[in-house]
Amino acid sequence: MPTCYRHPDKETWVRCQRCERPICPDCMRDAAVGFQCPECVAEGNKGIRQARSTFGGGIVRTPIVTYTILVINVLVFGAQYLTETITGQLAMWPAGVALLDEYHRLLTAAFVHSGVFHILFNCWALYVIGPYLERAFGHVRFVALYLISALGGSVLGLWIDPVNQPTVGASGAIFGLFGAVFVVGRKLNMDVRGIAVLIVINLVITFVFPNISWTGHIGGLIMGSLLAGALAYAPKNNRTLWQAVAIGGALILLVVLVVVRVSAILAMS
């Protein structure tokens, strides 16, 4: 009596249609004709082109990145109320970046908020448009888009805001996502008037109401739009490589801007 090649203690008369090795019911995988063993199925799947998102990322069924960022925002906001020093340690503060080498502030500021309305608006916006962009770009590209947009807002603030002026909020990243939705919509020939109106309204609010960091909003909008354009319009041939170059180039540009600005602040101090 032949036994399964993977389970020698199980007798079987069924053989893999591809390699003809005996397989037990636990190892049988449905094939076009008969059954195949797990190894032959895996080997056959290597030649099958895997499904990709609209712009080359992996298929996203659950937007886990969006949900993770939302959870982090809420947890940090709760920590701000429990520990007063959290805000000061994580906020974007040009003097802290340049004089104290606290470069983490360039990113951590995107997870700190100044009040309930502030975090509610940013989290609502992320909840609405985050899943759409995450499914369009895939997890990794969406993370890059979000963080580089946030970093773009902080870098513009580093250049223009007073060195002793702290700022907080994910608005730079959110504006970057707004710009990305507009770019993606144009690429896919969709009606982008709604997102265009939303961007204009929020820009008006940015410049009309006091105590709003316009540098963070504009910096995030610019970086998010440019990076989304590079990702969406990358040539299909070697698209992943072109997108990686675009992400790496954006990071290098921002790092250079930070280094130049920090050197200038140190020279003036």
Side-chain angles (χ1 to χ4, degrees), residues 173-201:
I174 297 301
F175 266 77
L177 298 188
F178 285 162
V181 171
F182 181 85
V183 170
V184 168
R186 291 296 302 271
K187 171 64 176 176
L188 300 178
N189 295 319
M190 299 171 63
D191 187 352
V192 295
R193 288 176 293 181
I195 188 63
V197 170
L198 181 62
I199 292 174
V200 171
I201 291 175

Side-chain angles (χ1 to χ4, degrees), residues 20-223:
E20 296 188 351
R21 290 179 294 187
I23 50 177
C24 68
D26 292 337
C27 299
M28 295 177 186
R29 302 293 184 267
D30 288 327
V33 178
F35 300 96
Q36 291 184 5
C37 66
E39 282 78 4
C40 288
V41 171
E43 185 67 26
N45 288 338
K46 290 181 180 179
I48 299 176
R49 186 176 180 180
Q50 298 298 315
R52 310 295 292 176
S53 68
T54 306
F55 300 111
I59 294 296
V60 173
R61 291 179 174 81
T62 302
I64 57 176
V65 174
T66 297
Y67 297 156
T68 299
I69 296 173
L70 287 170
V71 170
I72 293 174
N73 285 340
V74 172
L75 292 177
V76 173
F77 188 68
Q80 288 180 254
Y81 276 87
L82 295 176
T83 308
E84 296 181 358
T85 59
I86 291 292
T87 304
Q89 292 172 350
L90 302 182
M92 173 54 198
W93 180 35
V97 173
L99 304 179
L100 303 178
D101 295 332
E102 295 175 343
Y103 293 98
H104 66 274
R105 295 178 179 274
L106 294 165
L107 279 179
T108 57
F111 300 95
V112 186
H113 292 84
S114 60
V116 175
F117 177 79
H118 193 197
I119 188 173
L120 284 179
F121 173 80
N122 284 338
C123 286
W124 169 81
L126 177 60
Y127 179 78
V128 171
I129 63 178
Y132 167 72
L133 290 173
E134 189 171 350
R135 291 189 173 98
F137 289 112
H139 297 309
V140 176
R141 292 163 180 78
F142 178 72
V143 169
L145 177 65
Y146 188 88
L147 295 181
I148 289 177
S149 296
L151 188 57
S154 294
V155 171
L156 188 60
L158 179 66
W159 273 81
I160 297 179
D161 290 342
V163 294
N164 289 317
Q165 176 180 309
T167 55
V168 297
S171 300
I174 297 301
F175 266 77
L177 298 188
F178 285 162
V181 171
F182 181 85
V183 170
V184 168
R186 291 296 302 271
K187 171 64 176 176
L188 300 178
N189 295 319
M190 299 171 63
D191 187 352
V192 295
R193 288 176 293 181
I195 188 63
V197 170
L198 181 62
I199 292 174
V200 171
I201 291 175
N202 279 277
L203 287 176
V204 170
I205 293 174
T206 297
F207 288 99
V208 169
F209 289 89
N211 301 321
I212 295 180
S213 174
W214 68 267
T215 53
H217 294 184
I218 298 299
L221 179 63
I222 292 173
M223 287 306 303

